[in-house]
Amino acid sequence: MSWDGSPARGPATDPRSFSERRSFPDGAVEPVEAPRPRGPRIGLALGGGSARGWSHIGVIEVLEEAGIYAEVVAGCSIGAVVGGCYAAGKLDALKDFALSLTRRRVLGLLDVRLGSGLIAGDRLRQRLENDLADRRIDGLPLRFGSVATELGTGHEVWLTRGPLVEAVRASYALPGVFPPVRLDSRLLMDGTLVNPVPVGLARSLGADLVICVNLNCDPRVRGTVIEPQGELVAEAPAEAVAVRRRWPLLRNARGARRRRPAHAAPGLARVMLDAFNITQDRISRARLASDPPDLTVAPQLAGMGLFEFHRAEEAIALGRQAARAALPEIRATLASAAARV
């Protein structure tokens, strides 16, 4: 019997690990000094930003090179893709895939189909399934969750269990581009509509200290309020200019080149992406103001388009650069947090 009257624990049932107890010749077991208190549990909140999200890979690489390892990962949109692969131990495979992309290969992954989205997404899903197979979130080495938005209600949905591939797909289902993903009778779409940088999700998964990677904090693209200084005047139509065409069939019967205004309105894709980028920036600022992270890594990505996935090498380098710049503050904050544990 033990000192409290309960049955004595033998070696097989002692909850302490073998490294925490010492055996003596007479069979007695004496506890040794307890291990030093562990540091704070680090969480990563990886934000959305389409192709700019390849920079998450560079950030994670620098943190691990510095001996800083996350135990919790929360991702949104492309942040869910990178975070899910990282939590599953597949970050190197994702990096190889990203670096292999060219303009042509990116187009090859897009299976255009008219419906609830311009792109069916079957090829991208197949690519994810090739690397992640039947992995489930609740079986990953790291705690992981992604953010999605419910179609119709606008609810913010946290996906913290179930098939990893489906949780990632739901988080990046950009409206108008990819169709919504149905999970548990809910139609889900891109999480950036409600929470582009999921700091709160990382905390709910058990993170003591959250490092967020915000892909939309470049000061060169931060919107502000502009008040007109005088009367607004509509611009006169611009003079038409010649536009070169590659194919002769695009010329008129007399062989003249088609003409369009010098300042023609942007195309549908440009308008949609710019509108999405502006909305994401404003939502990010509002959410981070109400639920601030402990630390922020801010890659300077203003020069990269949202769909320029072929520029992975540049994005990863910018992520590494931003993480290296943030390392002194990260180390100081970790040291301070560890001292309080």
Side-chain angles (χ1 to χ4, degrees), residues 119-339:
I119 300 170
D122 294 334
R123 295 174 186 170
L124 290 175
R125 178 176 60 186
Q126 184 60 50
R127 180 67 202 192
L128 286 172
E129 289 176 345
N130 288 343
D131 289 329
L132 303 179
D134 55 353
R135 301 293 293 272
R136 295 182 62 84
I137 295 175
D138 28 325
L140 298 176
L142 305 179
R143 297 208 65 185
F144 173 76
S146 67
V147 176
T149 306
E150 185 177 23
L151 183 65
T153 66
H155 292 325
E156 178 179 336
V157 181
W158 291 356
L159 304 172
T160 58
R161 60 176 63 89
L164 176 59
V165 170
E166 297 307 302
V168 169
R169 288 183 59 235
S171 190
Y172 72 63
L174 183 64
V177 179
F178 295 104
V181 175
R182 185 175 293 277
L183 290 176
D184 291 336
S185 75
R186 298 178 185 270
L187 276 175
L188 303 177
M189 53 188 179
D190 201 305
T192 54
L193 297 171
V194 289
N195 193 357
V197 191
V199 174
L201 173 56
R203 295 197 195 283
S204 78
L205 291 172
D208 302 314
L209 186 147
V210 178
I211 303 171
C212 91
V213 184
N214 186 0
L215 306 180
N216 297 280
C217 57
D218 194 320
R220 291 173 290 175
V221 293
R222 299 291 291 273
T224 185
V225 176
I226 298 176
E227 296 185 13
Q229 301 300 315
E231 183 179 358
L232 295 177
V233 179
E235 295 183 1
E239 181 182 356
V241 296
V243 178
R244 293 182 180 273
R245 296 294 183 178
R246 184 173 181 179
W247 307 108
L249 291 177
L250 294 178
R251 302 186 182 193
N252 60 27
R254 292 179 296 177
R257 298 191 184 108
R258 291 187 177 184
R259 306 172 75 82
R260 68 179 178 186
H263 301 287
L268 175 62
R270 170 69 182 279
V271 172
M272 286 181 59
L273 291 176
D274 273 12
F276 180 74
N277 195 28
I278 292 168
T279 302
Q280 184 171 290
D281 170 62
R282 296 302 179 95
I283 296 173
S284 296
R285 283 194 256 174
R287 291 300 301 259
L288 292 175
S290 62
D291 190 10
D294 298 283
L295 295 153
T296 299
V297 178
Q300 302 300 293
L301 299 161
M304 180 167 292
L306 292 178
F307 266 38
E308 293 183 319
F309 288 96
H310 59 284
R311 297 174 64 183
E313 183 174 4
E314 180 181 350
I316 292 171
L318 290 172
R320 293 183 62 87
Q321 178 181 334
R324 283 194 295 266
L327 270 181
E329 182 182 4
I330 293 174
R331 288 195 176 106
T333 301
L334 287 174
S336 177

